[in-house]
């Protein structure tokens, strides 16, 4: 789907374009309405965030505590760097590895999409709801 097509439809969507895994370049990374209503896959990312208790270190709003602000970090961190960090951890900095956590690994693309949406400012609050 192209940006011009979306504009012509005048839908209240905010789309960030990018490939997730093997997806095509024109597929949106996430879809957001009203700043907090997200597509089903981005909702899976939020649920993964909660299930892995990432907020213990990165804060409930992803703005950092013991761990860094992911809102800021994902402005410059590539998807590949994100996946590597989540998978392998950064033990020297206190970041545990989630490489053996099936929930995280099965949903890592969705987790990235959720956090990227927060970092991009398209998702305006940490707690989201699925678009109905």
């Amino acid at each position: 789907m192209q940006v011009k097509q979306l504009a012509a439809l005048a839908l209240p969507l905010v789309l960030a374009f990018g490939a997730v895994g093997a997806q095509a370049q024109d597929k949106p990374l996430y879809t957001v309405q009203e700043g907090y209503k997200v597509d089903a896959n981005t909702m899976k990312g939020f649920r993964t965030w909660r299930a892995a208790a990432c907020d213990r270190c990165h804060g409930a709003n992803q703005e950092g505590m013991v761990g860094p602000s992911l809102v800021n970090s994902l402005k410059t961190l590539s998807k590949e760097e994100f996946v590597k960090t989540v998978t392998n951890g950064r033990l020297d900095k206190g970041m545990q590895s989630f490489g053996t956590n099936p929930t995280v690994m099965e949903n890592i693309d969705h987790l990235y999409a959720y956090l990227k949406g927060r970092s991009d400012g398209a998702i305006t609050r940490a707690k989201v709801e699925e678009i109905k």
Side-chain angles (χ1 to χ4, degrees):
M1 186 175 290
Q2 296 180 0
V3 175
K4 288 181 183 178
Q5 291 170 325
L6 290 174
L9 295 173
L11 294 175
L13 299 176
V14 177
L15 298 175
F17 289 88
V20 177
Q23 295 179 353
Q25 282 288 4
D26 63 346
K27 183 162 175 73
L29 183 58
Y30 53 78
T31 302
V32 185
Q33 294 177 352
E34 300 174 36
Y36 69 97
K37 295 178 183 176
V38 298
D39 62 276
N41 285 334
T42 304
M43 191 70 199
K44 288 179 188 177
F46 169 73
R47 289 185 180 124
T48 301
W49 165 267
R50 296 291 303 248
C54 303
D55 60 316
R56 291 181 301 171
C57 295
H58 295 286
N61 295 315
Q62 299 86 33
E63 295 174 344
M65 287 181 24
V66 175
S69 166
L70 298 178
V71 170
N72 290 334
S73 294
L74 266 75
K75 292 183 186 317
T76 58
L77 196 67
S78 72
K79 182 174 180 214
E80 292 76 24
E81 293 167 323
F82 172 82
V83 169
K84 180 179 176 183
T85 300
V86 172
T87 302
N88 300 328
R90 292 185 70 184
L91 297 179
D92 59 319
K93 297 196 178 218
M95 169 74 181
Q96 74 180 71
S97 165
F98 286 90
T100 60
N101 182 315
T103 300
V104 172
M105 296 317 298
E106 290 168 12
N107 291 289
I108 198 155
D109 289 340
H110 307 310
L111 177 61
Y112 177 77
Y114 166 69
L115 293 172
K116 188 66 175 154
R118 289 283 295 136
S119 178
D120 292 346
I123 300 173
T124 57
R125 66 183 199 197
K127 187 175 180 183
V128 294
E129 298 172 13
E130 190 170 344
I131 297 169
K132 301 291 181 199

